[in-house]
Amino acid sequence: MDLYAVAQVIWWLLLGVLLMGLAVMVGMDMGVGAILRYVARSDLERRVALNIIGPHWDGNQVWFILGGGAIFAAFPLIYATAFSGFYVVMLLLLWTMIMRPLGFEYRSQIAQPAWREAWDWVLLVSGAVPMIVFGAAFGNLFRGVPFHFAWNLTSFYTGSFLGLLNPFAIVTGVLSLSLAVMMGALTVMNGAEGAMFQRARGLAQAAAGTGLALFAIGGFWVHAMPGYRLTGGPGEGVPQTPLQQAVTTAPGAWLANFGAHPILWLVPLAGFAGMIGAWLAARAGRSHLGWWLGALAWIGVIGTAGAALFPFMLPSSTDPSMSLTVWNSSSSETTLLWMAGFAAVFMPLILWYTGWAFWVMRGKVSAEKIARGDEHAY
Amino acid sequence: MRTFLHFILFMVVAAVVIVLAAILGNVGAWYFAWLVGTTMIVLISAASAALLDAQEEQALGGSGVFDSHGQT
Amino acid sequence: MINGTVVDLSRIQFAATALYHFLFVPLTLGLSFLLAAMETVYVTTGRSIYKDMAQFWGKLLMINFALGVATGLTMEFQFGTNWSFYSSFVGDIFGAPLAIEGLMAFFMESTFIGLMVFGWERLSKGQHLAVTWLVALGSNLSALWILVANGFMQDPVGAAFDPVTMRMQLTSFPKLIFSPDVQSKFVHTSIAGYVTAAIFVTGVSAFYMLRRRHMALAKRSFRMAALFGVLATMGVITLGDALGFVAASVQPTKLAAMEGLWKAEAAPMPFNLIAFPDQAKHENRFEVQLPDLLSLLVTHSLTGRVRGIDALEGQAERKIENGIPAVQALEALSRDPKDAAALAQFDAHRSDLGYGFLVQRYAPDLSKVTPAQVSEAARDSIPPVAAVFWSFRLMVAFGLLMLAFFGLAALYTLRNSVQEQTWLLKAALWMIPVPFLADEAGWLVAELGRQPWTVFGVLPTWMSASTHSVTYMAFSLIGFIALYSIFIVIEMYLMVRAIRVGPSEHGDPGVHPAQPRPVLVGRPVPAAAHGTRLED
């Protein structure tokens, strides 16, 4: 492999890391938002739940923004084709996501119950909808997306909005939501006490169970589904456009990578182990352990999808040979290497100060302190 | 020894800063101006507040009334 | 191929969401550094009133910041959703600064802003001060990378078109980030944010002083903001001049539109103070001119000349003629990347590829292009003159107005008599909308002046949009307008409300000019005083 191909694979991996970071960190905040009305019954309880993630949601959300930026920089053709193709879905994602910062910041500004109730609903919608969209988007990658290119790479999307809500995408969408709910519940357990802790504990177990079932169902479904196979083209690490390759489809082809490299089975195994472990840890009331196992579950689930699809990133159902792969949709070598340099410097820094921020704000959130009117609490 | 090591450390930091400033001042003159300008604006603004405190103390003719070292 | 209505609707949507986003960004850029200044005074002098100040203005910052972040999400995704050809065509260059913005700046800003708000009791004074400084640095570094991306659209340096991958590719990262347009644009915009925040703080402080409320806090805030503002306004004007100087060489059409310059006259050229440009007739209907000033401003000499629109249109026609074979060669290369003849033809004409695209709007089949279509496209190569001309004058007038205001504000606050100048305090209140209008006008000058290009001279706007239906665009535009209207109402309501409620003071020395009395600045605060919040 030459340097360009290595850089392409590195960025494919880094994108995977960012998506995992997004799923774990944003997913937990969205999970808290989605379960807020169930797990916290009084306004005081809800404020406890919001203050648990209060200092961190903003920083966590940057995983989402960085994910978008990294796709743009490293795989511009994917960014351009997917975001414009999924237009209505992207708007749904965007509109729910832009309500979320307001839900956090504005809810506490006014004490009227109706005001707060309204923002609680906003937090529910802006927690649940983006996670379903996130999962459903992955589901649609397996089925292929109806798009094609003109000679100058103008992309045309020929599908409908409802076509994206097919049964398989619903399975992956709900899988994503249950993992987020599980992480949200474990986060509430980390920071809350008493009745809230117990409600969150029950919910974490239920969500982990649902996640397990859906992940297994999804696995069997993919087994029978037509997958894509790259049969010809300019090759790896060669500058190219998506107009120059040959792709065929065959049932079960999505599992070809696992057949060729059996060690990859460890990845879905990690997903199952993470979910089972998180379930057991929640049952035992050990939420911190459960949270880390939940993160492992996300890594396993997203890693499984990535390992199955590789080298495909956005398969085309209109014309499979126009499918976007790691090789034909990435940026140039110069860009990928500069970006890798920046990532090598700043990713460790980000992990370090994010860790520090969580360390500073560690411990339980006290309801008494909030009730007393602690000045900077939500 | 400890002081000496600190001295060396700060000298190295100062040298790095000077080299960086020289490079930045050469290829990125406006960036350099921004760094210097922003620092200056913030510090002048901060100093002007301290000046106001001094002016008010003087206007009230008080020394000893104010506890300028009070901490919260 | 691409529906003109869809392009127009995409432009309206982008301009509306960007202008809206840009209502919140400048205040964050400046207020975060003002907070850092206030907290620096708190930490160095130990006077707790500066902590109250940092917390009060911090609360207003957060109301503003929430909407800035929310609407920023739209911007990050709109390139892909609505400008997909643009994104794939220049994503190799344009995407990198956006990703680096996340890595280097936005992560820092967002992580530490959580600690800034929630960490007052968990961090030491020094740690908290460092956190506040990092928030300010982070927000301005964010602006830096966004403007690196924008600078590429204005002056595409450090990149070249690659006929194999059929897109622009990065050739030199340092050239990209050190381009003169990027540098001066960043400093201009960042400092414009300082001015915006300074006006905001003097205005709100004046409101308190007029009502004789929170006098100590208001006087100190006014003083700090006035000094901050007077220096920043000078900086903005200096950098605006630098930016005009850069535009004269890299974006002559923008400059000509800014100045309403149809025909170049002999040096030294006069400056149109007032004019009513008529784009169809290529003339100004009414002109008030200042002699020699244009040469002086734009070229920094009395002998310098800039080209007028007539000359620029003639040049565009020649470039279009030269660009047509480049596009035709590209189409052949798309069918067969190894076609040597096509590659040679492309290399001979590549410098004007963008102008070939420009005429394709009128002549989709370039083998049948007529001279009328060429001159139509050449006329198109000039931005909307009147809009750019007046946005520019509005921005400059507001800048000079703010400079005058800050001059007086600094004078009176340094004499410590601003609280008695009711007229000045009232003026300060009326000044609050001015910087926001100036910011928006500046955006319009920069981005309208860039038309008809998304990437100047390289990619025309009409090609850049996604291939959506009009229905989709109407749906999204209505959705954005509805949501954003609700948001601004809520934001304004909360902002005004927070200002009316005012700061909660622990260490207010409460010096009132009418009744001077000895006070304890920065006296220790009893623990119970912390629990006095109006809500909750």
Side-chain angles (χ1 to χ4, degrees):
Chain A
M1 266 191 179
D2 64 348
L3 185 60
Y4 187 28
V6 172
Q8 287 173 319
V9 173
I10 285 178
W11 269 101
W12 180 80
L13 288 170
L14 269 175
L15 197 60
V17 170
L18 287 176
L19 287 178
M20 290 165 189
L22 149 69
V24 172
M25 305 300 275
V26 185
M28 108 178 129
D29 296 341
M30 291 192 166
V32 172
I35 64 175
L36 186 67
R37 299 184 56 82
Y38 167 77
V39 86
R41 302 289 162 86
S42 67
D43 181 54
L44 186 61
E45 283 189 346
R46 287 184 187 164
R47 293 183 63 201
V48 169
L50 290 176
N51 276 293
I52 293 169
I53 52 171
H56 309 299
W57 72 265
D58 203 346
N60 290 345
Q61 183 177 252
V62 184
W63 286 96
F64 179 79
I65 293 164
L66 186 54
I71 295 186
F72 198 173
F75 299 98
L77 211 46
I78 306 264
Y79 172 84
T81 311
F83 283 29
S84 62
F86 294 153
Y87 192 57
V88 177
V89 179
M90 288 305 295
L91 287 175
L92 205 62
L93 180 72
L94 199 59
W95 287 343
T96 48
M97 279 207 68
I98 58 183
M99 292 182 200
R100 217 168 61 99
L102 306 186
F104 286 114
E105 291 296 340
Y106 292 173
R107 183 187 184 281
S108 64
Q109 299 276 342
I110 293 176
Q112 278 170 12
W115 171 268
R116 296 199 162 175
E117 188 78 2
W119 286 114
D120 290 344
W121 281 108
V122 166
L123 286 168
L124 190 155
V125 170
S126 67
V129 173
M131 288 319 289
I132 294 175
V133 169
F134 181 67
F138 261 95
N140 276 300
L141 296 188
F142 283 87
R143 294 174 45 94
V145 179
F147 70 88
H148 63 276
F149 293 104
W151 71 270
N152 64 0
L153 300 185
T154 306
S155 73
F156 294 89
Y157 179 82
T158 50
S160 69
F161 167 59
L162 290 176
L164 296 172
L165 294 177
N166 50 70
F168 182 69
I170 290 171
V171 168
T172 53
V174 179
L175 168 61
S176 157
L177 178 64
S178 25
L179 287 177
V181 166
M182 175 185 82
M183 291 298 276
L186 287 161
T187 307
V188 171
M189 286 170 75
N190 280 344
E193 290 158 319
M196 280 178 78
F197 181 92
Q198 293 307 336
R199 283 194 289 262
R201 190 174 144 214
L203 198 56
Q205 293 176 61
T210 315
L212 262 178
L214 291 172
F215 190 45
I217 292 172
F220 282 111
W221 203 320
V222 165
H223 176 73
M225 194 185 269
Y228 288 57
R229 191 180 291 154
L230 191 60
T231 52
E236 303 156 9
V238 178
Q240 57 188 291
T241 65
L243 306 177
Q244 296 147 7
Q245 68 186 359
V247 172
T248 57
T249 58
W254 285 135
L255 296 181
N257 284 341
F258 292 94
H261 308 281
I263 193 166
L264 287 177
W265 285 110
L266 284 177
V267 182
L269 208 62
F272 282 114
M275 282 185 267
I276 294 168
W279 184 355
L280 295 176
R283 213 171 122 180
R286 300 188 54 190
S287 59
H288 284 278
L289 176 67
W291 191 92
W292 285 103
L293 288 166
L296 178 69
W298 264 124
I299 292 169
V301 169
I302 294 178
T304 304
L309 288 167
F310 187 88
F312 289 95
M313 294 183 75
L314 189 66
S316 164
S317 58
T318 310
D319 182 354
S321 65
M322 286 188 182
S323 294
L324 297 178
T325 65
V326 176
W327 319 121
N328 68 18
S329 62
S330 85
S331 285
S332 64
E333 187 174 330
T334 318
T335 301
L336 290 182
L337 292 180
W338 271 102
M339 293 292 304
F342 275 94
V345 173
F346 287 103
M347 282 307 288
L349 263 176
I350 289 167
L351 293 178
W352 171 66
Y353 61 62
T354 304
W356 183 68
F358 275 90
W359 168 249
V360 167
M361 301 308 301
R362 69 191 177 279
K364 297 275 180 190
V365 171
S366 134
E368 293 92 74
K369 232 179 170 176
I370 292 177
R372 258 207 329 262
D374 183 340
E375 196 147 11
H376 310 294
Y378 281 151
Chain B
M1 190 58 196
R2 209 182 138 81
T3 317
F4 177 69
L5 282 178
H6 275 158
F7 176 76
I8 296 293
L9 181 73
F10 287 133
M11 288 307 283
V12 170
V13 171
V16 170
V17 168
I18 290 169
V19 169
L20 284 180
I23 295 171
L24 200 59
N26 206 15
V27 291
W30 283 123
Y31 291 151
F32 185 65
W34 177 80
L35 269 179
V36 175
T38 299
T39 317
M40 187 194 74
I41 293 174
V42 171
L43 290 183
I44 288 180
S45 159
S48 76
L51 180 67
L52 181 61
D53 288 336
Q55 281 172 323
E56 299 227 313
E57 282 169 35
Q58 211 172 28
L60 292 167
S63 61
V65 182
F66 291 88
D67 173 18
S68 63
H69 301 289
Q71 311 272 321
T72 50
Chain C
M1 192 165 71
I2 289 176
N3 184 332
T5 315
V6 170
V7 177
D8 288 343
L9 288 174
S10 302
R11 284 185 64 194
I12 292 170
Q13 182 173 306
F14 193 89
T17 50
L19 283 168
Y20 188 91
H21 178 56
F22 204 53
L23 285 173
F24 309 101
V25 173
L27 188 58
T28 303
L29 293 180
L31 201 50
S32 55
F33 266 119
L34 261 171
L35 285 185
M38 290 168 186
E39 202 174 332
T40 303
V41 185
Y42 165 59
V43 172
T44 50
T45 68
R47 294 179 183 220
S48 67
I49 185 163
Y50 294 102
K51 185 182 178 186
D52 295 339
M53 278 162 64
Q55 290 187 341
F56 170 65
W57 297 109
K59 187 179 174 184
L60 301 190
L61 173 71
M62 289 312 290
I63 293 174
N64 175 68
F65 184 76
L67 208 43
V69 169
T71 54
L73 284 170
T74 307
M75 303 321 296
E76 173 101 7
F77 288 87
Q78 207 166 186
F79 298 107
T81 53
N82 290 85
W83 301 94
S84 70
F85 189 77
Y86 168 85
S87 300
S88 59
F89 193 79
V90 295
D92 193 71
I93 307 110
F94 189 85
L98 293 194
I100 296 170
E101 186 251 356
L103 275 171
M104 182 195 241
F106 200 53
F107 241 117
M108 180 161 101
E109 180 188 5
S110 301
T111 305
F112 288 120
I113 209 161
L115 285 183
M116 187 177 98
V117 174
F118 283 80
W120 282 104
E121 277 149 40
R122 298 220 180 193
L123 295 167
S124 73
K125 269 182 173 181
Q127 280 175 331
H128 196 280
L129 178 66
V131 162
T132 306
W133 272 90
L134 286 173
V135 169
L137 189 65
S139 62
N140 280 271
L141 282 179
S142 275
L144 166 68
W145 289 106
I146 297 306
L147 290 165
V148 168
N150 180 263
F152 175 76
M153 301 168 79
Q154 313 287 351
D155 180 19
V157 291
F161 186 85
D162 183 347
V164 176
T165 53
M166 309 266 285
R167 63 174 180 201
M168 295 293 288
Q169 290 191 170
L170 185 67
T171 52
S172 163
F173 189 72
K175 260 194 191 155
L176 178 69
I177 60 173
F178 288 114
S179 107
D181 185 84
V182 169
Q183 286 198 42
S184 41
K185 178 74 71 57
F186 160 64
V187 183
H188 183 66
T189 311
S190 157
I191 300 186
Y194 301 177
V195 175
T196 307
I199 291 273
F200 179 76
V201 172
T202 52
V204 175
S205 304
F207 168 77
Y208 291 135
M209 282 194 262
L210 282 169
R211 305 205 163 189
R212 293 276 175 262
R213 285 172 58 192
H214 314 291
M215 285 303 281
L217 184 140
K219 270 163 71 178
R220 279 162 183 76
S221 302
F222 192 97
R223 161 76 66 94
M224 291 185 76
L227 270 285
F228 195 87
V230 75
L231 295 171
T233 314
M234 290 180 209
V236 161
I237 293 171
T238 311
L239 263 298
D241 173 63
L243 210 48
F245 188 77
V246 173
S249 59
V250 301
Q251 288 181 305
T253 48
K254 179 190 279 182
L255 188 87
M258 274 160 68
E259 305 300 355
L261 186 67
W262 302 101
K263 292 171 184 54
E265 295 165 43
M269 303 168 82
F271 176 82
N272 287 326
L273 190 65
I274 299 173
F276 295 97
D278 183 336
Q279 192 131 5
K281 289 191 190 148
H282 276 213
E283 61 181 33
N284 295 327
R285 248 170 286 155
F286 170 81
E287 282 174 343
V288 177
Q289 293 188 322
L290 298 177
D292 305 355
L293 191 62
L294 183 59
S295 288
L296 214 54
L297 277 177
V298 177
T299 63
H300 294 179
S301 85
L302 275 174
T303 52
R305 292 185 66 212
V306 284
R307 279 167 294 173
I309 288 168
D310 287 348
L312 291 168
E313 270 193 24
Q315 187 193 33
E317 281 190 21
R318 289 190 295 282
K319 281 175 177 264
I320 289 167
E321 307 275 5
N322 191 36
I324 289 168
V327 178
Q328 287 168 328
L330 201 62
E331 207 165 339
L333 282 169
S334 154
R335 283 188 299 272
D336 176 14
K338 295 187 182 68
D339 184 340
L343 194 61
Q345 183 180 339
F346 177 78
D347 279 336
H349 298 278
R350 65 184 306 158
S351 60
D352 292 324
L353 176 67
Y355 286 85
F357 290 144
L358 197 63
V359 76
Q360 255 193 325
R361 176 175 182 184
Y362 301 103
D365 182 359
L366 285 179
S367 59
K368 296 193 191 102
V369 64
T370 64
Q373 287 166 331
V374 170
S375 53
E376 199 175 1
R379 267 204 304 283
D380 245 16
S381 72
I382 306 300
V385 178
V388 175
F389 180 90
W390 280 109
S391 303
F392 176 64
R393 265 148 198 74
L394 210 61
M395 173 182 75
V396 173
F398 283 151
L400 295 173
L401 175 66
M402 288 188 281
L403 183 64
F405 166 75
F406 276 127
L408 290 169
L411 184 72
Y412 283 108
T413 181
L414 283 173
R415 287 184 181 167
N416 199 9
S417 68
V418 70
Q419 61 277 16
E420 287 136 36
Q421 313 298 329
T422 313
W423 62 274
L424 185 65
L425 297 177
K426 282 185 179 153
L429 262 180
W430 284 104
M431 289 296 288
I432 290 179
V434 171
F436 294 95
L437 292 173
D439 295 337
E440 303 281 288
W443 187 89
L444 286 173
V445 174
E447 311 309 330
L448 274 183
R450 193 193 63 228
Q451 297 303 329
W453 308 98
T454 43
V455 180
F456 192 81
V458 171
L459 181 67
T461 307
W462 76 268
M463 272 181 84
S464 307
S466 301
T467 51
H468 292 311
S469 63
V470 176
T471 322
Y472 266 25
M473 284 311 305
F475 166 71
S476 63
L477 191 55
I478 291 168
F480 274 112
I481 291 173
L483 266 183
Y484 278 23
S485 306
I486 298 170
F487 288 170
I488 193 93
V489 170
I490 296 174
E491 200 260 4
M492 295 284 280
Y493 171 72
L494 288 177
M495 190 65 102
V496 169
R497 188 170 171 282
I499 291 169
R500 282 188 192 281
V501 169
S504 51
E505 294 171 79
H506 308 122
D508 188 355
V511 180
H512 295 276
Q515 37 171 3
R517 60 188 164 85
V519 282
L520 299 173
V521 178
R523 76 197 126 88
V525 179
H530 274 292
T532 53
R533 196 176 175 184
L534 283 159
E535 271 76 41
D536 314 326

